[in-house]
Amino acid sequence: MFYKIVPVPGGQTYPTPVPAYQIFALWLIILALVFAVFWFTSRVTSYHPEREEEV
């Protein structure tokens, strides 16, 4: 899957090197998702005293 394991002579398999841009892009996607989850969670659970009487 991600490592694209290919057979090599000798009976052992080694993962082919992953290009640096793929690692960087994956990190950006993960960081963006984590940031979005925390941001939306903080907005939903934040305390708003001006809205207290509406609840």
Side-chain angles (χ1 to χ4, degrees):
M1 297 232 301
F2 186 74
Y3 286 106
K4 303 176 191 161
I5 295 175
V6 295
V8 292
Q12 293 180 329
T13 56
Y14 296 97
T16 57
V18 179
Y21 73 90
Q22 284 187 359
I23 297 171
F24 185 70
L26 185 66
W27 267 102
L28 282 180
I29 292 170
I30 291 172
L31 286 176
L33 288 174
V34 168
F35 175 78
V37 166
F38 277 106
W39 187 71
F40 284 122
T41 303
S42 67
R43 284 184 56 91
V44 169
T45 60
S46 61
Y47 175 67
H48 298 286
E50 68 276 3
R51 296 186 191 169
E52 191 172 335
E53 61 274 359
E54 296 176 10
V55 177

